[in-house]
Amino acid sequence: MYTVTRRLLSLPALLLRRDVSKDSELLVLRHENAVLRRHVPRMRYEPADRLWFAALSHLIPRHRWAQVFPMTGPSP
């Protein structure tokens, strides 16, 4: 009974740890993206990259796009 109770009580901690880990990883990636934006004036994206960003844009609210996506306008 002790083992079952202990495992049931540890489940919320495990789930919370996963969320914290995921959020921390996102913060690291966002900071890395900000650093790269400062050091690389203009990146060239392949059509597949743009397709990937376009597909993901449907999952993120439009007001957050400038903070999340690396490009802001059409390619030359």
Side-chain angles (χ1 to χ4, degrees), residues 7-25:
R7 289 191 183 191
L8 285 174
L9 292 175
S10 68
L11 184 60
L14 177 64
L15 294 175
L16 181 61
R17 192 174 325 132
R18 285 185 187 164
D19 286 343
V20 169
S21 175
K22 180 181 69 171
D23 291 343
S24 298
E25 184 177 346

Side-chain angles (χ1 to χ4, degrees), residues 43-56 69-71:
M43 292 188 64
R44 299 279 181 210
Y45 294 100
E46 300 290 324
D49 298 324
R50 292 183 177 277
L51 181 65
W52 183 245
F53 289 133
L56 291 174
F69 292 109
M71 60 199 124

